[in-house]
Amino acid sequence: MAKVNVKVCLGTTCFVMGSANLQELIELVPRKYGDLVDVAGSPCLGLCSIDWEFSKAPYVKVDDEVIKEATVEKVLAAIDKKLGK
Ligand code: FES
């Protein structure tokens, strides 16, 4: 089975908008899912500049799915969905 790939944006906009809180995912996800999921911090994903005025930062990508205004709960829910849980 292909791994789910999670990228937590740590670019400036997302960081200011709260991705600092999402950094716990980087420890939490491997503990919860082990080898099934790869998680990493990422420089600006290029999403914040598309719609700056209505920015929905912080952004996290779960495979190709963009999670706006990401929270730990939203990201875990998206991972569970990918894994069919
Ligand atoms: S800083 Fe996160 S998408 Fe640009």
Short mmCIF file of all heavy atoms in Angstrom, two decimals, residues 9-15 43-49 57-59, ligand 1:
data_model
loop_
_atom_site.label_atom_id
_atom_site.label_comp_id
_atom_site.label_asym_id
_atom_site.label_seq_id
_atom_site.Cartn_x
_atom_site.Cartn_y
_atom_site.Cartn_z
N CYS A 9 3.04 22.90 6.16
CA CYS A 9 3.71 24.10 5.68
C CYS A 9 4.28 24.89 6.86
O CYS A 9 3.57 25.23 7.79
CB CYS A 9 2.76 24.98 4.88
SG CYS A 9 3.63 26.42 4.23
N LEU A 10 5.55 25.17 6.79
CA LEU A 10 6.21 25.96 7.83
C LEU A 10 6.71 27.28 7.26
O LEU A 10 7.56 27.94 7.83
CB LEU A 10 7.37 25.17 8.44
CG LEU A 10 6.99 23.84 9.10
CD1 LEU A 10 8.22 23.12 9.60
CD2 LEU A 10 6.01 24.03 10.24
N GLY A 11 6.17 27.66 6.09
CA GLY A 11 6.51 28.96 5.51
C GLY A 11 6.02 30.07 6.43
O GLY A 11 5.24 29.82 7.35
N THR A 12 6.44 31.29 6.16
CA THR A 12 6.18 32.39 7.09
C THR A 12 4.68 32.61 7.33
O THR A 12 4.24 32.70 8.47
CB THR A 12 6.80 33.69 6.55
OG1 THR A 12 8.14 33.41 6.22
CG2 THR A 12 6.74 34.79 7.59
N THR A 13 3.92 32.68 6.25
CA THR A 13 2.49 32.96 6.41
C THR A 13 1.82 31.89 7.25
O THR A 13 1.11 32.17 8.21
CB THR A 13 1.79 33.04 5.05
OG1 THR A 13 2.50 33.98 4.25
CG2 THR A 13 0.36 33.47 5.19
N CYS A 14 2.04 30.67 6.90
CA CYS A 14 1.41 29.57 7.63
C CYS A 14 1.91 29.52 9.07
O CYS A 14 1.14 29.27 9.99
CB CYS A 14 1.67 28.25 6.94
SG CYS A 14 0.75 28.10 5.40
N PHE A 15 3.17 29.81 9.23
CA PHE A 15 3.73 29.78 10.59
C PHE A 15 3.05 30.82 11.46
O PHE A 15 2.60 30.54 12.56
CB PHE A 15 5.24 30.01 10.51
CG PHE A 15 5.95 29.63 11.77
CD1 PHE A 15 6.31 28.31 12.01
CD2 PHE A 15 6.23 30.58 12.74
CE1 PHE A 15 6.95 27.95 13.18
CE2 PHE A 15 6.88 30.23 13.91
CZ PHE A 15 7.23 28.91 14.14
N PRO A 43 8.83 23.99 3.33
CA PRO A 43 8.82 25.43 3.08
C PRO A 43 7.52 25.81 2.38
O PRO A 43 6.76 24.92 1.99
CB PRO A 43 10.02 25.66 2.17
CG PRO A 43 10.60 24.34 1.86
CD PRO A 43 9.82 23.27 2.55
N CYS A 44 7.28 27.08 2.21
CA CYS A 44 6.01 27.56 1.62
C CYS A 44 5.55 26.69 0.47
O CYS A 44 6.27 26.44 -0.49
CB CYS A 44 6.18 29.01 1.14
SG CYS A 44 4.70 29.65 0.33
N LEU A 45 4.32 26.19 0.59
CA LEU A 45 3.75 25.31 -0.43
C LEU A 45 3.22 26.09 -1.62
O LEU A 45 2.69 25.53 -2.56
CB LEU A 45 2.61 24.48 0.18
CG LEU A 45 3.00 23.47 1.28
CD1 LEU A 45 1.75 22.95 1.98
CD2 LEU A 45 3.80 22.31 0.70
N GLY A 46 3.31 27.42 -1.55
CA GLY A 46 2.86 28.25 -2.66
C GLY A 46 1.37 28.49 -2.65
O GLY A 46 0.81 29.01 -3.60
N LEU A 47 0.71 28.08 -1.59
CA LEU A 47 -0.74 28.21 -1.53
C LEU A 47 -1.18 29.55 -0.95
O LEU A 47 -2.23 30.07 -1.28
CB LEU A 47 -1.33 27.07 -0.69
CG LEU A 47 -1.06 25.68 -1.26
CD1 LEU A 47 -1.29 24.62 -0.20
CD2 LEU A 47 -1.93 25.43 -2.46
N CYS A 48 -0.35 30.10 -0.08
CA CYS A 48 -0.75 31.32 0.62
C CYS A 48 -0.79 32.50 -0.34
O CYS A 48 -1.60 33.41 -0.18
CB CYS A 48 0.22 31.61 1.76
SG CYS A 48 1.93 31.76 1.24
N SER A 49 0.04 32.50 -1.34
CA SER A 49 0.14 33.67 -2.21
C SER A 49 -0.97 33.70 -3.26
O SER A 49 -1.26 34.73 -3.84
CB SER A 49 1.50 33.69 -2.90
OG SER A 49 1.70 32.46 -3.54
N ALA A 57 -4.61 30.10 5.53
CA ALA A 57 -3.46 29.48 6.19
C ALA A 57 -3.83 29.16 7.64
O ALA A 57 -4.72 29.82 8.19
CB ALA A 57 -2.27 30.44 6.14
N PRO A 58 -3.21 28.23 8.29
CA PRO A 58 -2.12 27.42 7.75
C PRO A 58 -2.62 26.26 6.86
O PRO A 58 -3.71 25.76 7.06
CB PRO A 58 -1.47 26.86 9.02
CG PRO A 58 -2.56 26.80 10.02
CD PRO A 58 -3.46 27.96 9.71
N TYR A 59 -1.79 25.92 5.91
CA TYR A 59 -2.10 24.85 4.99
C TYR A 59 -1.29 23.59 5.30
O TYR A 59 -0.11 23.67 5.67
CB TYR A 59 -1.75 25.26 3.56
CG TYR A 59 -2.59 26.38 3.02
CD1 TYR A 59 -2.11 27.67 2.97
CD2 TYR A 59 -3.87 26.13 2.55
CE1 TYR A 59 -2.89 28.70 2.46
CE2 TYR A 59 -4.66 27.16 2.04
CZ TYR A 59 -4.16 28.44 2.01
OH TYR A 59 -4.92 29.46 1.51
S1 FES B 1 3.57 29.88 3.82
FE1 FES B 1 2.30 28.15 3.73
S2 FES B 1 1.60 28.08 1.71
FE2 FES B 1 2.94 29.78 1.79
#
